[in-house]
Amino acid sequence: MLISPSIIAADLSAMGALVREMDPAVVDLLHMDVMDGHFVPNLTFGPAYIKNCAAHTSIPMDVHLMIMDPEASIERYLEIKPWCVTIHYESTRFPARLLQLIRGAGIRAGLALNPATPVEAAFDLCEYADLVLVMSVDPGFYGQKFMKGAVGRIKRLAGFLEREHHDREVIIQVDGGISLENIGEVAAAGARCLVAGNAAFAGGTVNSNVAALKKRAI
Ligand code: DX5
Ligand code: ZN
């Protein structure tokens, strides 16, 4: 199980020091929630900030773009050479082309689906995706409650991938409200990579919180 702490749940002004304290042997990825105040009501940061954070650590960047028309600025995220760039199905009319553009740059291409979008919408796009992000909250804010319907959605997607794409791995990532209480069920449903905002940053150290989550995910 890969755990990707979402840094918007931390103090963004102190990120250099915080990131340096994270142990790359424990923290697999750093989840970067890019919000434009348009696709979602909240506004966070862009590529320059992600680049600055990346300079403080060897932990790979996991970029989640919650922005309208990502084609307009995607090149600037690709330049950072992150582990993955994930776009939202709902944010563009041309998800297949964008996924291929991301892959063409040698980066994992991720496709995210809001809770209101049936996971079946991703089925025809899976051949262009290396990761499918199942949102378990409406995007925009950290600290929201996990939507239980996500478990069935993950299972349906996992079943499809097993039937149709067993020759290569398409990672199922889940984002929103992940906690020590629900992580076992989410892992059992077929998730391989979990985002943790509140669960990683609210109290204690990120290293110990992530280690505890991983222990429960088995
Ligand atoms: C929601 C973001 C999430 C969020 C996760 O819009 O995409 O990554 O920060 O935070 P928690 O785990 O607290 O729900
Ligand atoms: Zn996210």
Side-chain angles (χ1 to χ4, degrees):
M1 179 61 73
L2 301 170
I3 303 285
S4 187
S6 166
I7 67 155
I8 59 162
D11 177 353
L12 291 179
S13 71
M15 203 45 65
L18 241 173
V19 160
R20 283 197 300 276
E21 278 170 19
M22 292 182 201
D23 181 354
V26 177
V27 178
D28 304 290
L29 299 163
L30 271 182
H31 189 77
M32 297 282 161
D33 283 314
V34 179
M35 304 185 186
D36 66 351
H38 187 43
F39 180 69
V40 289
N42 204 0
L43 188 64
T44 56
F45 46 74
Y49 180 86
I50 299 172
K51 204 172 166 186
N52 288 347
C53 287
H56 289 274
T57 180
S58 61
I59 300 172
M61 301 289 127
D62 163 29
V63 177
H64 179 191
L65 296 180
M66 286 162 277
I67 61 178
M68 277 315 288
D69 303 318
E71 42 275 15
S73 56
I74 192 107
E75 296 289 351
R76 300 205 48 211
Y77 296 94
L78 299 179
E79 280 165 16
I80 306 167
K81 295 279 172 209
W83 179 80
C84 181
V85 171
T86 299
I87 54 153
H88 263 266
Y89 174 83
E90 305 82 3
S91 69
T92 174
R93 280 184 292 148
F94 308 112
R97 189 154 69 209
L98 263 176
L99 291 169
Q100 289 174 84
L101 185 84
I102 298 168
R103 252 200 201 157
I107 293 157
R108 280 180 193 77
L111 180 68
L113 300 165
N114 280 338
T117 304
V119 281
E120 286 71 14
F123 285 6
D124 289 339
L125 295 167
C126 278
E127 66 176 292
Y128 309 111
D130 304 298
L131 175 149
V132 178
L133 168 50
V134 177
M135 291 300 302
S136 40
V137 298
D138 262 337
F141 304 94
Y142 71 90
Q144 301 182 81
K145 199 170 172 307
F146 180 81
M147 294 167 72
K148 287 202 173 72
V151 174
R153 292 160 56 73
I154 299 160
K155 284 184 183 162
R156 297 207 308 275
L157 177 61
F160 169 78
L161 291 174
E162 213 170 288
R163 285 194 308 276
E164 306 288 335
H165 290 275
H166 42 79
D167 48 331
R168 68 184 185 95
E169 189 185 21
V170 180
I171 296 169
I172 299 181
Q173 186 180 53
V174 181
D175 184 2
I178 295 297
S179 67
L180 286 171
E181 284 67 47
N182 60 31
I183 193 167
E185 192 184 7
V186 175
R192 258 274 288 143
C193 180
L194 299 178
V195 177
N198 225 24
F201 289 99
T205 69
V206 177
N207 291 332
S208 61
N209 292 339
V210 169
L213 285 166
K214 279 186 177 173
K215 222 167 160 184
R216 286 277 181 99
I218 303 161

